[in-house]
Amino acid sequence: MSEKIEILLVEDNPGDIRLTQEAFSECKTNCQIHVTRDGEEATDFLDQRGAYADATRPDLILLDLNLPNKDGGELLTEIAEDPDVRRIPVIILSSSASEEDISNAYAHCANAYLIKPVDPLKFVSLARTVEEFWFSLAELPSTH
Protein backbone atom coordinates (compact mmCIF):
# COMPACT_ATOMS: atom_id res chain seq x y z
CA MET A 1 0.00 0.00 0.00
CA SER A 2 1.43 3.35 -0.97
CA GLU A 3 -1.04 5.56 0.87
CA LYS A 4 -0.97 6.27 4.57
CA ILE A 5 -2.45 3.54 6.77
CA GLU A 6 -4.76 4.85 9.49
CA ILE A 7 -4.57 2.87 12.74
CA LEU A 8 -6.81 3.41 15.76
CA LEU A 9 -5.03 2.36 18.95
CA VAL A 10 -7.45 1.94 21.86
CA GLU A 11 -5.17 1.82 24.90
CA ASP A 12 -5.17 3.48 28.32
CA ASN A 13 -1.60 2.68 29.44
CA PRO A 14 0.75 5.58 28.50
CA GLY A 15 3.76 3.23 28.37
CA ASP A 16 2.00 0.84 25.99
CA ILE A 17 0.84 3.75 23.84
CA ARG A 18 4.40 5.03 23.52
CA LEU A 19 5.79 1.56 22.87
CA THR A 20 3.19 0.92 20.14
CA GLN A 21 3.87 4.26 18.48
CA GLU A 22 7.62 3.68 18.55
CA ALA A 23 7.29 0.11 17.27
CA PHE A 24 5.15 1.17 14.31
CA SER A 25 7.49 4.08 13.54
CA GLU A 26 10.13 1.39 12.87
CA CYS A 27 7.96 -0.16 10.14
CA LYS A 28 8.25 0.56 6.42
CA THR A 29 4.58 1.40 5.97
CA ASN A 30 3.49 5.00 6.35
CA CYS A 31 1.21 4.70 9.40
CA GLN A 32 -0.78 7.31 11.24
CA ILE A 33 -1.68 6.15 14.75
CA HIS A 34 -4.71 7.74 16.38
CA VAL A 35 -5.07 7.07 20.11
CA THR A 36 -8.17 6.84 22.25
CA ARG A 37 -7.79 5.93 25.91
CA ASP A 38 -11.08 4.16 26.65
CA GLY A 39 -13.97 2.44 24.93
CA GLU A 40 -16.24 5.47 25.03
CA GLU A 41 -13.64 7.66 23.32
CA ALA A 42 -13.11 4.94 20.73
CA THR A 43 -16.85 4.80 20.04
CA ASP A 44 -16.88 8.58 19.52
CA PHE A 45 -13.88 8.27 17.18
CA LEU A 46 -15.48 5.49 15.14
CA ASP A 47 -18.84 7.29 15.01
CA GLN A 48 -17.10 10.61 14.25
CA ARG A 49 -18.81 12.38 17.16
CA GLY A 50 -17.83 15.27 19.40
CA ALA A 51 -14.08 15.92 19.47
CA TYR A 52 -13.71 13.28 16.73
CA ALA A 53 -16.20 14.74 14.24
CA ASP A 54 -13.41 15.05 11.66
CA ALA A 55 -11.74 11.72 12.49
CA THR A 56 -10.46 9.61 9.64
CA ARG A 57 -11.95 6.13 9.32
CA PRO A 58 -9.21 3.71 10.45
CA ASP A 59 -7.92 0.89 8.27
CA LEU A 60 -7.11 -1.20 11.36
CA ILE A 61 -8.01 -1.14 15.06
CA LEU A 62 -5.57 -2.25 17.77
CA LEU A 63 -7.70 -2.85 20.86
CA ASP A 64 -6.70 -3.48 24.45
CA LEU A 65 -9.25 -5.40 26.51
CA ASN A 66 -8.78 -3.78 29.92
CA LEU A 67 -10.06 -0.24 29.46
CA PRO A 68 -11.86 2.23 31.71
CA ASN A 69 -15.50 3.31 31.16
CA LYS A 70 -16.25 0.76 28.44
CA ASP A 71 -13.96 -2.25 28.20
CA GLY A 72 -12.51 -3.71 25.03
CA GLY A 73 -14.98 -6.60 25.00
CA GLU A 74 -17.95 -4.23 25.03
CA LEU A 75 -16.39 -2.12 22.30
CA LEU A 76 -15.65 -5.21 20.21
CA THR A 77 -19.31 -6.26 20.46
CA GLU A 78 -20.43 -2.77 19.37
CA ILE A 79 -18.04 -2.83 16.41
CA ALA A 80 -19.33 -6.24 15.29
CA GLU A 81 -22.93 -4.96 15.42
CA ASP A 82 -22.27 -1.70 13.54
CA PRO A 83 -22.48 -2.09 9.76
CA ASP A 84 -20.48 1.12 9.26
CA VAL A 85 -17.41 -0.10 11.15
CA ARG A 86 -17.52 -3.89 11.35
CA ARG A 87 -15.51 -4.28 8.14
CA ILE A 88 -12.48 -2.72 9.85
CA PRO A 89 -10.13 -5.46 11.07
CA VAL A 90 -9.74 -5.52 14.85
CA ILE A 91 -6.62 -6.93 16.45
CA ILE A 92 -6.77 -7.48 20.18
CA LEU A 93 -3.45 -6.37 21.66
CA SER A 94 -3.54 -7.50 25.27
CA SER A 95 -1.25 -8.54 28.08
CA SER A 96 -3.77 -11.26 28.96
CA ALA A 97 -3.04 -14.83 27.88
CA SER A 98 -6.28 -16.05 29.46
CA GLU A 99 -8.03 -18.69 27.37
CA GLU A 100 -11.34 -17.10 28.35
CA ASP A 101 -10.24 -13.67 27.06
CA ILE A 102 -8.94 -15.19 23.83
CA SER A 103 -12.12 -17.24 23.25
CA ASN A 104 -14.38 -14.29 24.05
CA ALA A 105 -12.47 -12.01 21.68
CA TYR A 106 -12.85 -14.40 18.77
CA ALA A 107 -16.48 -15.08 19.69
CA HIS A 108 -17.08 -11.33 19.35
CA CYS A 109 -15.48 -11.14 15.90
CA ALA A 110 -11.88 -10.14 16.64
CA ASN A 111 -9.72 -10.77 13.59
CA ALA A 112 -6.63 -11.64 15.64
CA TYR A 113 -5.49 -11.86 19.25
CA LEU A 114 -1.91 -10.88 20.04
CA ILE A 115 -0.25 -10.89 23.44
CA LYS A 116 1.81 -7.78 24.11
CA PRO A 117 5.48 -8.63 24.47
CA VAL A 118 7.21 -6.98 27.43
CA ASP A 119 10.54 -6.73 25.59
CA PRO A 120 10.61 -3.60 23.35
CA LEU A 121 12.54 -5.43 20.60
CA LYS A 122 9.93 -8.18 20.51
CA PHE A 123 7.23 -5.50 20.36
CA VAL A 124 8.93 -3.99 17.29
CA SER A 125 9.06 -7.47 15.77
CA LEU A 126 5.33 -7.90 16.49
CA ALA A 127 4.58 -4.54 14.83
CA ARG A 128 6.56 -5.59 11.75
CA THR A 129 4.63 -8.86 11.60
CA VAL A 130 1.32 -6.98 11.82
CA GLU A 131 2.53 -4.61 9.11
CA GLU A 132 3.67 -7.42 6.83
CA PHE A 133 0.46 -9.41 7.14
CA TRP A 134 -2.22 -6.72 7.32
CA PHE A 135 -0.66 -4.14 4.98
CA SER A 136 1.22 -6.30 2.48
CA LEU A 137 -0.44 -9.72 2.29
CA ALA A 138 -4.06 -9.27 3.35
CA GLU A 139 -6.54 -7.49 1.13
CA LEU A 140 -8.41 -4.92 3.21
CA PRO A 141 -11.74 -3.35 2.30
CA SER A 142 -11.71 0.33 1.51
CA THR A 143 -12.72 2.32 4.59
CA HIS A 144 -12.32 5.82 3.15
Side-chain angles (χ1 to χ4, degrees), residues 6 21 26 30 43-46 56 58 60 62 80 83 86 89 91 100 102 115-116 121 124:
E6 304 288 341
Q21 291 170 325
E26 299 281 325
N30 182 13
T43 298
D44 287 346
F45 187 98
L46 292 168
T56 303
L60 183 73
L62 299 175
R86 69 175 164 218
I91 299 174
E100 181 180 358
I102 295 168
I115 298 170
K116 295 177 195 172
L121 292 177
V124 169

Side-chain angles (χ1 to χ4, degrees), residues 32-97:
Q32 173 70 43
I33 298 183
H34 306 274
V35 178
T36 59
R37 296 177 184 271
D38 65 44
E40 289 178 4
E41 256 186 69
T43 298
D44 287 346
F45 187 98
L46 292 168
D47 291 342
Q48 298 171 311
R49 280 194 311 242
Y52 301 105
D54 296 325
T56 303
R57 181 73 69 198
D59 298 296
L60 183 73
I61 300 169
L62 299 175
L63 176 60
D64 186 28
L65 291 178
N66 299 312
L67 299 167
N69 300 325
K70 180 189 299 179
D71 71 28
E74 290 173 282
L75 180 60
L76 187 59
T77 299
E78 286 180 9
I79 291 169
E81 293 173 350
D82 185 335
D84 291 332
V85 295
R86 69 175 164 218
R87 296 176 349 148
I88 302 169
V90 178
I91 299 174
I92 302 300
L93 191 55
S94 178
S95 55
S96 171

